[in-house]
Amino acid sequence: MKKFTMVIALTVFTLWCSSALAGHHNQLPSFFEPESLQVTGYDGINDDLLSAGLNQEGLEGAAPPISEPPTAAELRRLAIYNNYRGIVDPVPAGGMGLLWGPKSEGAPSFNPPVKPGLIPGVEYKAYFRAPSGWGNDNNITMVVQIPRHFDPEKPCIVTAPPSGSRGVYGGIAVSEWGLFKGCAVALGGKGTGTGFHLLGEDNAELAVDDIDGVYDSVEEIGREAQFRVKNSPMLDRFLEDYPNRVAVKHAHSQINPERLWGQFALNSIRFAFWALNDHFKGHKFKPLNTLVIASGVSNGAGVSVRSLEYDREGLIDGLVVSEPSINPKKGHFVIKFGDETFNPNGQTLNDSITLMGTYAGCAALDSSLVGTPFQSSEPLGVPSGVEARANRCEALYEMGLLMAETLEGQAAEALQVLRKNGYYQEEDWGIASHEWLNLWRSLQPTYAASYGRFAVWENVCNVSFAATDADGFPIQVPEAAARPLFATSSGIPATGGINLIADAAANGPILENLAVSASTGLQDLNFDSALCFRYLSTGDPRVLPDRPTIRDFFNYLRVRKGAHELQTSGKLHGKPAIIIHGREDALVFPNFQSRAYYALNQVVEGRKSKLSYWEVTPAQHFDAFISSLWLSGEPVGAAKFVPLHYYLTEGLEMMYNHLKKGTPLPPSQVVRAKARGTDPYTLDNISELLPLPVPEPGDDAITFSKRVLRIPK
């Protein structure tokens, strides 16, 4: 493998730029850390840009092995493996190798000795140092990939920020289309990612990770850590009471990174322009001569939407995103879905998270959900024989938040609470499964701490993060879990061996799903903390067992302020844009996200808007689970959903042709696809099972008039 890496000291770097780039003054943007810059070439023989050398077969197979300790190259390979498979259906029958994958249709070819399926090129990597956040170190990793077949005469850039809270390679599956097309790809971090600070003396030898994900001590890595918490007396006191805890970048950076996502993405585009001008000496790439498309999935999609809203330089030409988390602000409109009318009222994702975190466990027991995935199973980590969901129903009843006296009635009432808050029937399939995965309990502490800019030592709602032993008690993070965290974690605990700890449990501190709530005496999925998180989102004192204290109220104001800081405006500056969402998305609810954003954009931009909204059914949030976890019911082993990733890549192709050739984009519409069932996708059945949006959708047109968004049922 021909691999070269340059880590350039500040003085050498300045002299190098002055001589090598004379004539077009290509200076690294001032917000980057020059000392952190790495430029690495991949030859497409043993390693590459897209799959880190794993190729089609490697991405479909078992996780690649790593050494003890792992090398930076091994961590990159494992991170790409996990992040790629975290976005798409990795099963050949589900589209891998046909609709996506290194050897799928559209993959570029190179002369030998480059292996078919591998994409040679150059990868630039550097830190952007974010605001300090009370003295913490918050370094944002930016990566730009330039494939060998990039054509300087037809330059293009595609952004692929990470989904969820993933690390810098979290958008690698999205970047595939851009790499196939010969575009440079901007894999910009967003201030979340896999930066963990393992706190306390026991964890001191492997406390923080560097830009490559390699863990070492704070003394060794210093300010070049992806994330490092500032020492303080408060932190010391916290660790005396709660040893072996972990600070998580998304939760504890104290900068509320989501409010800055748009600026982070624009910086990644600026970095891409710099890298292109550095790599292709004698050319001058700039927005006027380079096509830029912003893309992404889930939180990565939210990053790209914000980047277009914030773009005052004309950096971005078009936008194509899927299932975005965008938190649109309140607008004067309603959504009419069939006979149902709903006003999203600017409700944020955090409100949805805490609503579900409070009521979904009980609602999952409603008889109407029998047959949905994992409806008969208690959440992961609940001890055998414990009926934690039924206990949650009882706790809600005793708290006065449900009125029904029977378990059956309580479950039905809990489901109706969700209904009144915009959760519609098409999403019901995911109530039990998402509860089984502990999604809402995982998201609550991270988003509350982030929005309120809480320090790790403030221990918001008495939920902290730590590794645990077999009995669920916090322990030092084992070396085998710490070293590969960069590659194995999603960025939000529970992940990579870092778990959620209920610190105020009657039997705690202990693993959250083993907790006995102090207020109820029940193993009820940490009911006390769920109420606390719900209060921080709503400010409603009725959800607390006791009257809120002044500190409680102040914490609520902090979270509310943070939630308002990140709401989007709907202003896309008249740029062409496509937003795609699955009707059955049971995580990022369309009523509060894509539907609401499209309506807000119509109010704000009116006839100047060039936004198309495609709502695909049956489609949900996690393509990666279509051919695995979500297989249930009749017939056994049949896929129930279609892949949104297919529509994202087709949307990117349409946007590219629109910007290059003027080909019209399809208007807003419902796309009625068909799940493949037990049949694999083939070239012969794609057009039937996965129809594309059409120029004239007829009765399936999504329309907006007189401040009413109409979605055909």
Side-chain angles (χ1 to χ4, degrees), residues 25 91 104 188 414 438 459 472 676:
H25 307 293
V91 176
S104 61
N438 297 306
N459 206 21
R676 66 178 180 84

Side-chain angles (χ1 to χ4, degrees), residues 2-59:
K2 298 177 181 177
K3 181 175 178 180
F4 52 92
T5 302
M6 296 185 293
V7 181
I8 307 167
L10 178 58
T11 303
V12 176
F13 175 78
T14 303
L15 293 173
W16 177 70
C17 279
S18 298
S19 59
L21 306 178
H24 62 268
H25 307 293
N26 186 43
Q27 295 183 350
L28 186 69
S30 60
F31 41 77
F32 282 95
E33 292 295 319
E35 301 94 333
S36 69
L37 180 67
Q38 299 179 16
V39 185
T40 307
Y42 296 96
D43 59 13
I45 301 172
N46 297 302
D47 210 338
D48 79 318
L49 299 179
L50 177 61
S51 68
L54 293 170
N55 217 323
Q56 183 80 36
E57 297 75 17
L59 290 174

Side-chain angles (χ1 to χ4, degrees), residues 16-300:
W16 177 70
C17 279
S18 298
S19 59
L21 306 178
H24 62 268
H25 307 293
N26 186 43
Q27 295 183 350
L28 186 69
S30 60
F31 41 77
F32 282 95
E33 292 295 319
E35 301 94 333
S36 69
L37 180 67
Q38 299 179 16
V39 185
T40 307
Y42 296 96
D43 59 13
I45 301 172
N46 297 302
D47 210 338
D48 79 318
L49 299 179
L50 177 61
S51 68
L54 293 170
N55 217 323
Q56 183 80 36
E57 297 75 17
L59 290 174
E60 291 177 2
I66 57 175
S67 306
E68 295 182 7
T71 66
E74 289 172 336
L75 290 170
R76 177 181 180 271
R77 181 174 293 118
L78 183 57
I80 286 177
Y81 171 87
N82 284 321
N83 282 292
Y84 190 99
R85 291 170 59 93
I87 297 300
V88 301
D89 190 337
V91 176
M96 185 71 164
L98 177 67
L99 304 179
W100 48 81
K103 294 183 179 179
S104 61
E105 184 179 356
S109 60
F110 303 90
N111 294 327
V114 175
K115 295 178 180 178
L118 300 189
I119 301 178
V122 176
E123 182 172 284
Y124 285 71
K125 184 192 297 183
Y127 270 152
F128 158 61
R129 201 179 296 281
S132 62
W134 299 93
N136 303 324
D137 288 319
N138 294 298
N139 289 313
I140 316 301
T141 308
M142 300 288 183
V143 165
V144 174
Q145 296 182 329
I146 305 174
R148 183 180 294 177
H149 60 300
F150 180 95
D151 185 352
E153 302 304 317
K154 299 177 182 178
C156 53
I157 298 170
V158 175
T159 71
S163 67
S165 292
R166 297 177 181 275
V168 71
Y169 295 106
I172 195 70
V174 176
S175 77
E176 181 175 83
W177 179 89
L179 291 174
F180 280 13
K181 209 72 176 177
C183 299
V185 172
L187 295 163
K190 60 181 193 296
T192 59
T194 51
F196 296 85
H197 187 167
L198 315 184
L199 301 168
E201 293 182 1
D202 291 343
N203 292 315
E205 292 185 5
L206 296 174
V208 294
D209 62 339
D210 65 14
I211 193 170
D212 295 316
V214 176
Y215 266 83
D216 211 322
S217 66
V218 168
E219 291 74 20
E220 182 67 26
I221 296 179
R223 297 203 65 198
E224 298 309 306
Q226 291 198 35
F227 172 59
R228 183 183 68 163
V229 175
K230 181 182 178 181
N231 286 328
S232 69
M234 293 80 74
L235 179 63
D236 292 340
R237 286 195 292 270
F238 171 70
L239 292 174
E240 287 179 6
D241 294 333
Y242 304 104
N244 296 315
R245 295 309 195 266
V246 175
V248 177
K249 189 174 187 178
H250 189 167
H252 302 127
S253 68
Q254 294 184 267
I255 63 171
N256 189 12
E258 192 171 344
R259 69 188 173 91
L260 302 170
W261 281 357
Q263 294 298 338
F264 292 164
L266 293 177
N267 284 343
S268 75
I269 296 172
R270 297 181 183 108
F271 186 38
F273 274 110
W274 177 86
L276 287 171
N277 285 318
D278 175 67
H279 186 63
F280 294 98
K281 307 295 193 292
H283 289 79
K284 188 173 182 180
F285 301 102
K286 53 188 177 181
L288 289 177
N289 63 17
T290 305
L291 183 69
V292 178
I293 300 176
S295 188
V297 171
S298 190
N299 277 353

